[in-house]
Amino acid sequence: ENINMPNQLMLVDSIRVVKMMFTFTGLVAFFCVVPASANNNGLALTPPLGWRSWNLFGHDVNQSLIENIMDGMVKRTRRDHLGQPTSLCDLGYCDVGLDDNWQDCNHPSAAPHMNYHDKEGNPIVDLILFPDLKRMTDHAHALNLTAGWYGNNCICEDRCETEEECQLQMKGDVKAFVKYNFDSWKLDGCGGENDLVFFNSMIMEMADRPIVVENCHWGNPKYDPDNTLPPALGCPYNFYRTSGDIRPSYESIMSNLATVEKYHSRNQSYPGCWAYPDMLQIGIENALTPEETRSHFGSWAIVSSPLILSHDVNDDVVTDQIWGVISNREVLAVNQAYAGDSGGVYEKEKSYRYFSKPIDGGRKVAVLLMNTGRSKNILMAKFDDIPGLSCDVDKCAYHVRDIWNHKNLGVFETLWSVSVESHDAAFVMVDLVQKKDVGIAANS
């Protein structure tokens, strides 16, 4: 039993239109229900997948480093669980984003009280670190990747003081974005450019194609998603930060993960407007155990978070350690599916959290059982407690599949339990089946 990976949105530079790409083979197609209140640029109908530079390079970044990462994203030097040579982009991770420190801070031609914008609002690029940004995006497009940029600056902040000044800088940034031919945009919270309605309108006016926009506001948005408003006002971006910056520790991961729940409970994470608890810390500083790595990736996947890698994709030791997790097509399929509910916690205590996400109109439900305690624990999925699993108990049973290990575990009537190590998580798909179809006598 294999699960289809839904199509991954990607911008293809050569023909300048949005296409649906990266179709994976399998037996089950997931439904994607698109609400009318999402950003109306038609992008990010499934959670975006990609890579960004900050967690790995911080401010020690340059054009050569980013181009080398791009090369690594398309190398087919590893195989998926079916034995097929597979690159990260084959799995959907096709956007490579440059984060902070492309700016030439404290440039002499900067406008008064500014650091990297001139009097006309144009951003000033550090040409020593990034001699040719257009060449860099051309390199991405030649590899069938997309290239992401970054606005505002947390290293040398430009805080425009009037609406006129801020709009001048936003126009300058968007003109540069178009000139350098980027495809996606992360707008950070450091600086004065936070009018996302105006910013999004400038992108739609100046660019010759739709642009994926990340609202990186550290969990304190000026524009909280509001699905009662028209899309251009209610969600003028495609995904948005629900938290402060993530750190490479289990405690930080769990803290950031918890911030998604508010938005899930309000149904404010949906196609074109996804809640996002920050980049993945998988493979960073060797800080996470294998168990914590699974919990981190599995929990981001089941709550429909964008999955943005940040490790050194050209470090074979690191990539080999995490490959089985980040290349798991069944887990990625759960992340990319949407049936009206982005997924979230349905039960929690001090030592565990249980997550669920409906799949295929409710006939399937993905379930993540996370052991947050300090010792091994028996975790239990009681089928009656799982949202979306509704059936006459006299007639129905439940087929359970381990999607970490691609194994069918059998058919169960009331519950499924498993022993889980500290900070690890079991990840299963639960299917409703008729007892008569699996040889179980129906209750009278």
Side-chain angles (χ1 to χ4, degrees):
E1 176 186 355
N2 295 317
I3 300 174
N4 270 3
M5 274 292 290
N7 297 326
Q8 174 69 24
L9 279 172
M10 175 178 171
L11 295 171
V12 183
D13 182 70
S14 60
I15 54 177
R16 318 309 298 153
V17 296
V18 180
K19 283 192 172 183
M20 303 296 290
M21 300 195 64
F22 306 119
T23 302
F24 294 87
T25 58
L27 300 178
V28 183
F30 290 161
F31 293 96
C32 183
V33 182
V34 182
S37 54
N39 189 321
N40 58 359
N41 64 10
L43 301 182
L45 300 183
T46 59
L49 277 65
W51 184 96
R52 267 203 174 268
S53 64
W54 184 257
N55 287 351
L56 179 63
F57 297 129
H59 54 74
D60 297 320
V61 67
N62 60 55
Q63 183 168 331
S64 177
L65 290 173
I66 297 299
E67 290 180 356
N68 286 340
I69 290 292
M70 291 172 176
D71 293 336
M73 300 297 285
V74 298
K75 289 181 179 177
R76 294 191 175 101
T77 55
R78 291 172 180 81
R79 297 177 182 270
D80 65 9
H81 75 279
L82 298 174
Q84 298 300 315
T86 302
S87 71
L88 286 167
C89 186
D90 291 333
L91 296 162
Y93 305 100
C94 293
D95 186 74
V96 174
L98 167 62
D99 219 271
D100 210 344
N101 209 40
W102 55 263
Q103 306 90 336
D104 194 343
C105 292
N106 305 310
H107 195 277
S109 64
H113 71 266
M114 294 297 157
N115 290 300
Y116 67 96
H117 283 94
D118 65 21
K119 293 179 181 179
E120 285 73 44
N122 300 306
I124 304 170
V125 177
D126 187 330
L127 296 178
I128 295 175
L129 297 178
F130 293 92
D132 191 340
L133 285 175
K134 177 61 165 56
R135 190 188 72 194
M136 188 181 80
T137 62
D138 286 347
H139 187 70
H141 298 147
L143 297 171
N144 282 327
L145 298 171
T146 53
W149 211 20
Y150 171 96
N152 280 330
N153 188 334
C154 294
I155 298 171
C156 61
E157 184 174 330
D158 269 4
R159 185 159 291 281
C160 44
E161 296 178 349
T162 67
E163 181 178 5
E164 181 181 10
E165 189 175 53
C166 290
Q167 290 188 356
L168 183 68
Q169 289 186 4
M170 282 188 276
K171 287 180 180 179
D173 284 357
V174 174
K175 284 192 294 184
F177 181 97
V178 173
K179 171 185 175 182
Y180 297 131
N181 208 19
F182 283 98
D183 307 289
S184 64
W185 187 287
K186 173 182 175 180
L187 190 65
D188 212 333
C190 303
E193 298 182 26
N194 55 21
D195 187 342
L196 281 159
V197 172
F198 179 82
F199 185 83
N200 198 44
S201 69
M202 286 297 97
I203 290 176
M204 297 181 77
E205 176 184 325
M206 296 185 191
D208 61 352
R209 63 201 188 283
I211 300 299
V212 174
V213 177
E214 174 193 343
N215 178 10
C216 178
H217 49 54
W218 317 322
N220 186 29
K222 180 176 181 179
Y223 297 100
D224 221 352
D226 187 344
N227 52 24
T228 68
L229 296 174
L233 300 176
C235 186
Y237 40 83
N238 295 107
F239 59 110
Y240 60 96
R241 279 275 294 277
T242 61
S243 66
D245 289 349
I246 197 168
R247 301 288 183 245
S249 73
Y250 182 74
E251 292 72 25
S252 177
I253 288 164
M254 297 305 296
S255 176
N256 279 38
L257 176 62
T259 65
V260 176
E261 276 306 300
K262 176 177 72 173
Y263 299 96
H264 171 250
S265 67
R266 300 172 181 173
N267 196 28
Q268 290 179 317
S269 181
Y270 47 80
C273 189
W274 300 106
Y276 174 52
D278 206 358
M279 292 173 279
L280 293 162
Q281 285 284 357
I282 291 171
I284 300 297
E285 299 178 11
N286 200 29
L288 302 181
T289 67
E291 293 81 9
E292 291 166 349
T293 294
R294 280 190 292 271
S295 282
H296 184 13
F297 193 78
S299 58
W300 259 236
I302 202 168
V303 301
S304 302
S305 170
L307 299 177
I308 310 301
L309 302 170
S310 53
H311 70 287
D312 186 350
V313 301
N314 294 308
D315 185 323
D316 288 336
V317 173
V318 170
T319 304
D320 287 344
Q321 289 172 345
I322 64 176
W323 180 253
V325 174
I326 64 175
S327 70
N328 188 309
R329 293 185 187 269
E330 294 190 59
V331 173
L332 290 170
V334 170
N335 173 257
Q336 299 287 282
Y338 185 77
D341 185 332
S342 59
V345 174
Y346 73 88
E347 183 178 334
K348 63 180 178 181
E349 295 290 346
K350 185 176 181 180
S351 62
Y352 66 81
R353 293 188 197 181
Y354 294 170
F355 297 78
S356 68
K357 181 179 179 179
I359 307 293
D360 192 16
R363 287 198 58 83
K364 296 175 179 286
V365 176
V367 176
L368 185 81
L369 306 180
M370 182 184 292
N371 179 5
T372 57
R374 297 182 178 181
S375 60
K376 183 185 293 187
N377 200 0
I378 301 295
L379 304 184
M380 190 176 302
K382 297 179 180 179
F383 302 128
D384 284 348
D385 294 339
I386 299 173
L389 278 181
S390 58
C391 187
D392 184 343
V393 295
D394 294 335
K395 298 179 181 179
C396 290
Y398 303 88
H399 176 267
V400 178
R401 177 174 174 81
D402 177 355
I403 61 176
W404 281 137
N405 297 299
H406 315 290
K407 292 181 179 179
N408 295 321
L409 302 179
V411 176
F412 304 83
E413 294 193 67
T414 59
L415 61 86
W416 176 76
S417 63
V418 61
S419 177
V420 179
E421 296 289 343
S422 171
H423 293 181
D424 206 347
F427 208 164
V428 296
M429 186 71 72
V430 181
D431 293 71
L432 285 171
V433 295
Q434 296 296 313
K435 288 184 175 180
K436 62 181 179 63
D437 293 336
V438 293
I440 299 175
N443 298 330
S444 57

